[in-house]
Amino acid sequence: MDGNEGMDEVGWEVDSDDESSVVAEIIGRQIKFWREAAGLRVVQFGELMGYGENLIHKVERGARIPRPEFLDRADEVLNAGGHLSALKPDAEKARYPRRVRDLAKLEAQCIEVCAYNNSVIEGLLQTQDYAAGVFSNRRPPFSQDQLSQRLSARMARQSIIDEATPTPMFSFVQCESTLRRPLGGTMVMQAQLEHLLEVGKLSNVDLQVLPLNAEENAGLGGPFRLFKLKDGGTVAHNEVQLTSRVISNPKEVQTLDMRYGIIRAQALTPRESLSLIEKLRRQT
């Protein structure tokens, strides 16, 4: 197996932020320590693992974050007694882009998450195929490894929407245009609309649609999110071309909070919204 084979099976490219790099280097040093303690050269370890020497070098120097199955196999091959397998949670967190980790941390501290989007279906509501369609439209395009990384991160964030957990509550307002834009193709969009119908019926989710025929629209400034925290505070987040920004300035947050309330009032009720989504699904 040469240096370019098996890269997806080994792990993910390291994100450029310092936190990911540090975690990747620590994991790499641990693997190297246990390999040397076992008296194995890199090439021997690679043969036992089923990977090329070049890939093992990348993991050991922190250039790649190993997947959970790689760490489990390394733990077994090197008789590490569970020490390498125990690194899986750290590797899992570090593999996501920093902005995704920051959003996940905010969401974990929330009693309520509010999101308005007039560009695409909100990330927490996307199916994997629809998300792939969104990411595939990026120019310049993501590499296959970057695409895989971002898809995994987006899907992992969605675990926070759990009807069995009373908090956080979720409020989503989608511009009707996002329900008509068939990113990924007709079949992908139909499945996405079906997913919205399922999520919209959860007891901790309010899903509304701002119709295109509405004469008033307070959301023309673009997508944004509000995070209402357990400590009583509120922060906002918006994402535009090349910029992902958390907003904590009280005046700016207050403006967006007020704006979101107006958008909700201008939108269809949750019941009316689900009826519209069902109608669009049948037409797709």
Side-chain angles (χ1 to χ4, degrees):
M1 187 178 295
D2 66 35
N4 291 320
E5 292 180 301
M7 295 180 75
D8 288 341
E9 289 77 10
V10 171
W12 306 273
E13 292 178 359
V14 177
D15 194 32
S16 58
D17 68 85
D18 291 341
E19 186 178 346
S20 283
S21 298
V22 170
V23 172
E25 289 172 6
I26 291 173
I27 292 174
R29 285 199 298 269
Q30 284 292 307
I31 292 172
K32 183 177 180 180
F33 169 82
W34 285 99
R35 174 181 62 76
E36 292 178 342
L40 295 175
R41 300 194 309 275
V42 171
V43 64
Q44 294 172 313
F45 178 49
E47 289 173 355
L48 291 171
M49 291 287 294
Y51 297 110
E53 181 179 355
N54 186 43
L55 291 174
I56 301 299
H57 276 302
K58 286 183 177 180
V59 171
E60 290 193 354
R61 70 170 185 264
R64 293 189 74 78
I65 301 169
R67 290 181 179 271
E69 54 269 28
F70 181 95
L71 289 169
D72 283 337
R73 176 61 178 160
D75 196 281
E76 179 183 350
V77 167
L78 300 176
N79 296 313
H83 287 84
L84 295 179
S85 292
L87 297 172
K88 288 189 291 185
D90 298 307
E92 187 75 6
K93 292 177 182 176
R95 72 185 176 100
Y96 299 145
R98 182 172 183 172
R99 66 179 183 81
V100 175
R101 297 199 306 271
D102 289 344
L103 285 178
K105 289 177 183 177
L106 277 174
E107 289 161 355
Q109 300 173 42
C110 286
I111 60 170
E112 185 178 10
V113 176
C114 306
Y116 167 72
N117 208 312
N118 61 355
S119 177
V120 297
I121 303 297
E122 179 62 27
L124 288 174
L125 299 173
Q126 293 177 6
T127 66
Q128 182 161 323
D129 287 339
Y130 179 90
V134 172
F135 288 131
S136 296
N137 272 279
R138 195 252 203 186
R139 294 296 181 271
F142 288 122
S143 69
Q144 195 58 44
D145 196 71
Q146 289 172 324
L147 180 61
S148 175
Q149 181 188 46
R150 280 160 175 77
L151 277 174
S152 296
R154 179 149 296 179
M155 295 302 104
R157 276 181 55 218
Q158 294 182 4
S159 63
I160 194 172
I161 303 182
D162 183 357
E163 190 175 30
T165 305
T167 56
M169 295 290 292
F170 296 90
S171 169
F172 301 103
V173 181
Q174 291 288 150
C175 177
E176 183 182 342
S177 62
T178 65
L179 309 179
R180 294 181 176 274
R181 186 174 298 122
L183 294 177
T186 300
M187 297 300 292
V188 169
M189 196 63 206
Q190 188 173 61
Q192 174 63 69
L193 294 174
E194 290 172 355
H195 180 64
L196 290 180
L197 291 170
E198 293 174 4
V199 176
K201 294 174 184 175
L202 298 178
S203 61
N204 62 335
V205 174
D206 280 333
L207 176 58
Q208 295 176 257
V209 177
L210 184 58
L212 285 172
N213 62 5
E215 294 183 6
E216 297 177 317
N217 185 336
L220 295 177
F224 64 93
R225 303 178 180 98
L226 291 169
F227 300 100
K228 300 189 177 183
L229 307 175
K230 296 174 183 177
D231 64 6
T234 300
V235 296
H237 174 264
N238 75 336
E239 197 167 354
V240 295
Q241 297 285 341
L242 305 178
T243 303
S244 178
R245 175 183 173 227
V246 173
I247 303 167
S248 58
N249 181 283
K251 289 185 177 180
E252 294 182 357
V253 172
Q254 185 181 50
T255 297
L256 290 174
D257 196 7
M258 177 183 66
R259 189 172 296 168
Y260 189 76
I262 296 172
I263 290 171
R264 288 198 72 179
Q266 294 170 340
L268 301 175
T269 67
R271 185 183 296 274
E272 293 168 338
S273 298
L274 292 181
S275 295
L276 176 58
I277 293 171
E278 174 60 33
K279 178 182 178 181
L280 293 173
R281 185 196 66 81
R282 292 197 301 267
Q283 294 174 354
T284 302

